[in-house]
């Protein structure tokens, strides 16, 4: 009986002395996120936005999660822009163009996510990858075009729009990086 009490007393602390972390799905998920995000355009943002996903088991899952983050951020930016109060016709024109550009970005990101969900090795893989890269790149171009409309505008409106759109662009840039990790020209498929 004394041995049983002793074991019950030390077992909860044994993982501290072993020097190893128990392998769990969340630690393997975090390992994949940290490893994959380390060379992304914005590694800290990549890690912060993706480490909370519990369904990431493969590089493809990671790319899907990153696109979902991009779509979510773009939707939030669109709502923000639609509710933004502007004072001049110039601001209003830039804002209308920007809302349209972000709408196009959301559409392209959703197309990319659909394509990614149906991505498979074999015939057509390179074409699918090309489509993914094209749509996500086009989304980034739309973000830049939106910001271009505010170059000649000073003040709070420009600052607020730039902050929101830059946030979308950063997570989308990371998504493009993670999509590109799905195929390595030297070693082939990684999905």
């Amino acid at each position: 009986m004394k041995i049983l009490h002793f074991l019950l007393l030390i077992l909860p602390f044994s993982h501290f002395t072993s020097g190893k972390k128990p392998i769990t799905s969340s630690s393997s998920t975090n390992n994949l996120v940290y490893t994959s995000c380390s060379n992304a355009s914005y590694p800290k943002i990549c890690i912060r936005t993706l480490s909370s996903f519990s369904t990431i088991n493969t590089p493809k899952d990671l790319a899907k999660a990153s696109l979902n983050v991009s779509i979510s951020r773009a939707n939030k930016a669109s709502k923000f822009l639609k509710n933004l109060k502007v004072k001049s016709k110039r601001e209003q024109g830039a804002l209308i163009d920007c809302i349209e550009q972000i709408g196009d970005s959301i559409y392209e990101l959703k197309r990319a996510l659909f394509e990614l969900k149906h991505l498979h090795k074999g015939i057509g893989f390179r074409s699918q990858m090309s489509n993914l890269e094209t749509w996500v790149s086009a989304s980034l171009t739309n973000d830049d075009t939106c910001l271009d409309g505010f170059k000649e505008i000073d003040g709070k409106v420009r600052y607020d729009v730039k902050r929101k759109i830059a946030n979308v662009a950063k997570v989308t840039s990371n998504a493009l990086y993670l999509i590109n990790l799905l195929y390595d020209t030297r070693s082939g498929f990684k999905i």
Side-chain angles (χ1 to χ4, degrees):
M1 192 68 163
K2 287 183 182 183
I3 293 175
L4 179 61
H5 286 303
F6 177 75
L7 287 175
L8 290 174
L9 181 64
I10 65 164
L11 277 177
F13 302 103
S14 64
H15 70 278
F16 291 115
T17 58
S18 70
K20 292 184 179 180
K21 265 183 148 176
I23 296 175
T24 64
S25 62
S26 67
S27 68
S28 62
T29 295
N30 284 337
N31 188 31
L32 178 61
V33 169
Y34 285 98
T35 303
S36 300
C37 287
S38 64
N39 291 316
S41 302
Y42 304 94
K44 289 180 183 177
I45 292 171
C46 186
I47 292 166
R48 188 179 73 238
T49 59
L50 298 174
S51 61
S52 64
F53 283 82
S54 61
T55 57
I56 296 174
N57 299 309
T58 66
K60 184 178 175 182
D61 293 339
L62 190 60
K64 284 193 288 190
S66 69
L67 281 174
N68 278 314
V69 168
S70 295
I71 293 166
S72 174
R73 297 283 173 96
N75 279 321
K76 287 178 184 176
S78 179
K79 285 180 186 175
F80 171 81
L81 294 171
K82 289 175 182 174
N83 292 320
L84 192 61
K85 304 295 183 219
V86 294
K87 296 177 182 173
S88 70
K89 291 232 182 236
R90 189 178 204 179
E91 288 176 339
Q92 186 177 18
L95 185 60
I96 289 169
D97 290 344
C98 189
I99 290 168
E100 184 178 330
Q101 294 296 323
I102 296 304
D104 291 345
S105 287
I106 293 167
Y107 174 73
E108 287 154 348
L109 290 168
K110 286 181 177 181
R111 285 181 75 182
L113 182 60
F114 179 84
E115 187 81 8
L116 182 57
K117 286 179 179 178
H118 298 91
L119 185 67
H120 59 279
K121 294 179 185 179
I123 297 172
F125 179 81
R126 287 185 186 195
S127 175
Q128 288 177 299
M129 286 298 297
S130 178
N131 289 341
L132 281 166
E133 292 165 346
T134 298
W135 291 323
V136 178
S137 295
S139 177
L140 285 169
T141 301
N142 289 332
D143 297 343
D144 286 342
T145 303
C146 166
L147 291 176
D148 286 345
F150 287 89
K151 278 187 179 177
E152 302 298 321
I153 297 171
D154 290 325
K156 183 170 174 21
V157 170
R158 177 183 177 188
Y159 171 80
D160 289 344
V161 170
K162 186 175 181 179
R163 182 175 48 87
K164 285 290 184 183
I165 302 306
N167 183 292
V168 174
K170 288 176 183 177
V171 294
T172 303
S173 178
N174 285 340
L176 181 59
Y177 171 78
L178 294 169
I179 287 167
N180 284 322
L181 289 182
L182 297 176
Y183 184 76
D184 184 336
T185 54
R186 292 166 298 176
S187 61
F189 308 118
K190 287 190 171 183
I191 63 171

